[in-house]
Amino acid sequence: MERLHWVQHRCRQLLTTDSERGWYSTPNGLPTKSSQDAHSSPQRVSGKRRRVFARNGPHQQEYEAVSKGYKGNGIRTTKYSLLTFIPMNLFQQFHRAANLYFLFLALLNWVPVVEAFQKEITMIPLLVVLTVIAIKDALEDYRRYLSDKKVNNNVVQVFCGKQKAYIDKCWKDVRVGDFIRLSCNEIIPADMLLLYSSDPRGVCYIETANLDGETNLKQRQVVLDLPFQGGEITLENFHSRIECENPNNDLSRFRGYMEHPNGVRVGLHNSNLLLRSCTIRNTETVVGIVVYAGHETKAMMNNSGPRYKRSQLEKRLNTDVLWCVLLLIIMCLTGAVGHGLWVKNLKDPIFETDTETSPALAGFYVFWTMIIVLQVLIPISLYVSIEIVKLGQIYFIHNDLALYNEQLDSRIQCRALNITEDLGQIQYLFSDKTGTLTENKMVFRRCSIYGVEYPHKENAQRLEVYEAEENEAAGRSVTLKSGCSRKSLSCRSLSCNRSSVSLHTLTAESEEEDRLSNHIQSRTSAFCSRVAREVVPDPELVRKLSWLCSPAQPLSDGSSGTPCSLELTYITDFFLALAICNSVVVSSPSQPRHVVPEARTPLKSLEEIKLMFQRFSFSPFSALSTPQIRGSPRSFTSRLFSRGKTGSFTFSTPPNSTTDGSETGQENNLESSNLRRKLDLSSREDGGGAGQTEREDGIDDARIDPDGFGQKVEDLSKEDDCESDTDDELLYEAESPDEAALVHAAQAYRCTLRGRSPESLLVDLPGIGSLAVQLLHILPFDSNRKRMSVVVRHPLSGQLVVYTKGADSVIMDLTETSKGAEQAQEIYSHVREQTQEHLDSYAREGLRTLCIAKKVLEEEEYEVWLKRHLLAESSIENREELLMDSAERLETNLTLLGTTGILDRLQEEVPETIEALQRAGIKVWVLTGDKKETAINIAYACKLLRPDDELLTVSCGSKDACAVLLQELKLEVQRGGDRLMEPSAVESRSESSLSSPADFILVIDGCTLEWALQEELKSDFLELSCRCKAVICCRSTPLQKSQVVRLVRDQLGAMTLAVGDGANDVSMIQVADVGIGISGQEGMQAVMSSDFAISRFKHLSKLLLVHGRWCYSRLANMILYFFYKNVMYVNLLFWYQFFCGFSGGLMSNSWVLILFNLLFTSVPPIIYGVLDRDIPADTLMELPELYRAAQTSKIYVPSMFWINILDAFYQSLVCFFVPYFALAGSDVGDLSFGSPINASALLIILLHQVIESHTLTWIHVLVLAFSAASYFGFVLLFSLFCVTCSPPTNPLGVETLQMSQPLFYIICTLTTVMALLPRLLVRALHDTLNPATALKTAQMDKVDSERYCKRMRRWNQNHSRVNRLPVSADNPGLEPSTDTVVS
């Protein structure tokens, strides 16, 4: 309480003395009752703050005045209402240039002098397109409406001032200033300040999975200095007012203050704010006051809706549409000039003409008439067809079982609906490492303490056993499934109707995303898989820890095989730091609220501890009297946990505890009882390997056990078994898998974190028992400091200790320099050198490294720092910067304790995926924040690097050095590229390697990358990178990741794809042409910012190589086909103008003209764009080179566009002039002449698609038959029953007469064959000259048949030798029966 009063006092002093800090501060010092009127006047800067009063409080006038401008809590994500749907939808649709163009043509046809055909007919294409899109928009908006209705009608308890009680209200009826009461598992309806918690410490736990996908619990604190704090809440007495910042979308920041009636102001920060859509966990009741509601909440302000990106194909399409517009203008100008010349040269006409209009004006009129007649040249239905095709493609991607994750019950999410074709054109892939290439399921692997390396060989064997078990269970190489206990916290297991609602306050996504969100919430968030929890201790480290419990054995200087007192101090401090230097929340089924349990009676009395201190001798280091050494290894806190009585590892267990121990622990401790080694600092200079050998050599010596050490470890084994059940009941809610892995590692060595509160920690220590450690401060981890620290005061020694863990690149620089006695300098230098060697060794093995350090504070030093820190905590503006500066002041002159190596295994099939992507011609870059050695090791493991590749490391200390090194490496790559292409080198290289410029791998660190990305050097860096097979950027920041992606995208014009799983990958995901988020262990921030969301990295191969290639080829061919058929049909009308005086006349009725492209030939291209497959999926997966071949021979390029246009011109000439010459000299009319032309055009266009299609299914046949039948059925019915449907022409009986004559069918057959024959010949010639794809497909079929034959032979061998040669692990040459059984 004294510290709390000190904080209050300093806050008041701050508000009094620092009046010029910002709009939250008081203009005239500390507020008093007499100055409250001045405070209520708007003297501060307007537009920067929001005032909140209690809705049922005494300030009713103020509430009414300020609440008018605040939004209600009802949300609306729909675009339209019943009244606004038609006008708003039309307004949005007419933003498209094509729709405006056709609206202009429809209106133009109403002008009499340029009228081409009936006015109503010209409206049909536009009306059909607008109607189809309007129906689609209406269905989407109705789905949003249902989702909004479901959310708005959720019920919550709101305080009613009239009834003086809480009543049920819908979320939509909640207003700013309302008091809301929530229970466990309820979802928070609005952003509100936490005023009361049933937890006596004023703490509330929330889960933010609905907001950011993170399932770990986060702690929120009740606002300080409330009148009812610590007791029952009486809302009638709440007379305070709140002033805070205006609504914004920053989820991690909230600033403001609460002013009490006595004038005292209390700062408000993010820890006091409960955000909408989060869920209350492990807290029975909370009460808060709403400050932001509805669309002003941070959750809703972060709802940016579905992402929209323009694909490269769409950009190319717009260019070609402009070419079509130019072609249309040329045709219309030709008609206008031709008509003018025809009118001018017309003499003595035998038919009635307008002789009063001048030729120039007549030509002008005909220009606009031709625009109307030839309007089909601009494909209005193409845009609608593209949208339908993309929806169909997304449907098949979404339902691909190969992209389904059974473990998570999740499938791929397509969040950007308009860039599916870009998946088939990727050239550069930028990937994060942790959680993207790896599992992000951290497992404690090994550690180094006091410069001594502990390899934990049994732990490594355990991981291999787990992996083998998982592989056997799954039948393939898969990730370790979470074996975390499914024991739910009792508060979470409560049945709550409201908690079952999947909240959709962020986006109105599909029900599939609802299920994914619910599944994420149902999973454990503690990162407590079985493999992470069951850490096997290192026998040597267990042996040393056992000396803590052996009073009969004196500690030595380490030269006689026993650990020295200083080393034991390091070891105990190391594991204590692992246990308490974190933000882990502890719970168990019996303690669901995460409170600190009442400490059990320590196993030693205070008198025993006092005697233990007296026996604990530091005589070999009595000369270490400098403050640095005295403050660390000889600290009173460390000595507290050093010695004790035999058997003091025994903990008191509940009566119902069982004594069954784990087999792993028994085996480990049995081995520990046979271990004894000689400890000598000088023997450790060769690193962990030498130590490991000595431990192995000392096994025989351990059988001679004069001191009874073996018996002690056996006793420890039994006691460990007795407590294993109790420890297993603990549930750790960690913010990251690293934290959970370290806490479980400390637990394996009996240093167990059992409880946490804001002020204290309950820790079990070996030889001591349960101790309540006073927690003074937590300096949380941030990406700038790259470390976290805790400041604790030991309850018995009273010393102030800072424990710090963080990245080795930071901690090693913050450790103290060697000063004082010569022996101390030698020891500390040795510890630093050995630890650095172990760090490098861990990194080479691909382990994630963290350094552990400590610092003992003097009381005076702490008081000085505390004053500055309290100023930073109570500051309202610049609080984050001040807190960071305060933390950096404390984290200096640290004593290095040791380091940890944590294993983060590769995801399944990552090497195969990267190899396939490289074979497909995609350059893979890895952008990671890990150190260089770790990144290189992972690159080797995932086959990004191969043993014969040459590494180019760029690590410089200055910008000038970076420039010189880049130039040198460019020359080296050039020389190396020439060398690699020599015949001797070519023979040893694969086809995929030959295709790359050179097999060089560039590795660059974050500091050097900062210089390389500057304007002067980025061109050299980019040139060097392009000549390398792959690039690895280590120690890179999120900003640098996005800068690298932007550099490649903009400078090279390449198609880029970025994939990541965490919040630090969001920037590069958004910058890339295609962003892919992985729903992993780090929440859903990357998924929410991505275009596509997958659950495993291996899904990229199927997504890109198969679906990407299919989507691109389908859509590109469909667009080319659309242009072809429109140009082909329009040209028929154009050729007819040469025979009708360019008057805009038609040889068919206007209904057929309009419906030809709109109905009769519109459906087949859509089916073609959705279902066509040029190469089967299995072939594309086996031969990734086909992806690169599709890129090099692009389908949709200008040359292909013009080839199709020329082909359309040729086919139109054939289709027009064959009937013309066949019917020349006859007495047929215009409509009779147009009948075989239209029929031939239909057959040519449909059969053209059959030729271009690679797949022909019953669906294709059905659609083609339907198109032909619909045309002939329409024209026949039109000819039979329509007399005045198409004035001034009369189509009655025309089609029936033509179709009854054999000449009609002869003309159609001859025209169709002549028009399509060149296309068939060119296709056959192309396949003959470029047989690569066809041959590879055939080769693939041959490979499949060979595999089938091999399986048959193996099957026959197995059955013929089944009695004497069984399939087992002893016969590796044989495959399991699952691969050999043939049905």
Side-chain angles (χ1 to χ4, degrees), residues 218-236:
K218 296 178 176 60
Q219 183 173 291
R220 294 294 182 262
Q221 185 73 39
V222 170
V223 177
L224 297 177
D225 288 348
L226 291 177
F228 41 80
Q229 187 167 338
E232 291 295 328
I233 181 169
T234 54
L235 298 179
E236 298 88 347

Side-chain angles (χ1 to χ4, degrees), residues 403 405 410-413 1059-1060 1076-1080 1087 1090 1092-1100 1103:
L403 304 179
N405 189 326
S410 66
R411 63 182 73 190
I412 184 173
Q413 299 177 42
V1059 55
I1076 294 184
I1078 292 184
S1079 52
V1087 169
S1090 65
F1092 300 88
I1094 58 179
S1095 57
R1096 311 298 286 173
F1097 184 82
K1098 67 176 183 179
H1099 294 162
L1100 277 178
L1103 182 63

Side-chain angles (χ1 to χ4, degrees), residues 1166-1201:
I1166 295 176
I1167 301 300
Y1168 175 52
V1170 174
L1171 299 179
D1172 191 53
R1173 291 192 314 170
D1174 56 344
I1175 301 176
D1178 294 338
T1179 305
L1180 290 173
M1181 292 294 290
E1182 291 290 340
L1183 298 173
E1185 293 82 4
L1186 297 176
Y1187 183 90
R1188 180 173 56 192
Q1191 282 189 330
T1192 54
S1193 58
K1194 289 181 181 291
I1195 301 172
Y1196 189 33
V1197 291
S1199 59
M1200 291 301 299
F1201 170 78

Side-chain angles (χ1 to χ4, degrees), residues 113 325 444 504 596 926 1115 1143 1149 1152 1192 1194 1318 1371:
V113 293
V325 171
F444 181 83
H504 261 215
V596 176
V926 175
L1115 206 59
S1143 60
N1149 67 74
V1152 174
T1192 54
K1194 289 181 181 291
N1371 295 292

Side-chain angles (χ1 to χ4, degrees), residues 159 164 166 179-181 193-198 222 226-238 285-289:
F159 183 76
K164 306 296 182 184
Y166 289 96
F179 293 106
I180 294 179
R181 181 172 67 183
L193 283 177
L194 182 59
L195 303 180
Y196 168 79
S197 172
S198 58
V222 170
L226 291 177
F228 41 80
Q229 187 167 338
E232 291 295 328
I233 181 169
T234 54
L235 298 179
E236 298 88 347
N237 299 329
F238 185 84
T285 305
V286 299
V287 176
I289 182 172

Side-chain angles (χ1 to χ4, degrees), residues 1171-1297:
L1171 299 179
D1172 191 53
R1173 291 192 314 170
D1174 56 344
I1175 301 176
D1178 294 338
T1179 305
L1180 290 173
M1181 292 294 290
E1182 291 290 340
L1183 298 173
E1185 293 82 4
L1186 297 176
Y1187 183 90
R1188 180 173 56 192
Q1191 282 189 330
T1192 54
S1193 58
K1194 289 181 181 291
I1195 301 172
Y1196 189 33
V1197 291
S1199 59
M1200 291 301 299
F1201 170 78
W1202 289 111
I1203 288 174
N1204 277 271
I1205 296 298
L1206 292 176
D1207 190 26
F1209 268 89
Y1210 163 77
Q1211 292 185 11
S1212 65
L1213 285 171
V1214 172
C1215 187
F1216 181 85
F1217 284 102
V1218 168
Y1220 174 80
F1221 289 114
L1223 298 174
S1226 64
D1227 59 350
V1228 297
D1230 293 342
L1231 296 182
S1232 299
F1233 172 64
S1235 177
I1237 292 178
N1238 285 329
S1240 301
L1242 177 75
L1243 294 176
I1244 292 171
I1245 289 174
L1246 294 181
L1247 292 177
H1248 180 99
Q1249 180 172 329
V1250 173
I1251 294 174
E1252 292 299 310
S1253 297
H1254 304 89
T1255 305
L1256 195 62
T1257 66
W1258 65 268
I1259 300 178
H1260 292 80
V1261 175
L1262 182 64
V1263 170
L1264 291 172
F1266 172 78
S1267 295
S1270 62
Y1271 168 77
F1272 287 107
F1274 176 82
V1275 295
L1276 283 175
L1277 292 176
F1278 200 82
S1279 176
L1280 288 172
F1281 301 105
C1282 187
V1283 179
T1284 60
C1285 297
S1286 182
T1289 60
N1290 185 359
L1292 185 65
V1294 173
E1295 297 292 343
T1296 54
L1297 177 63

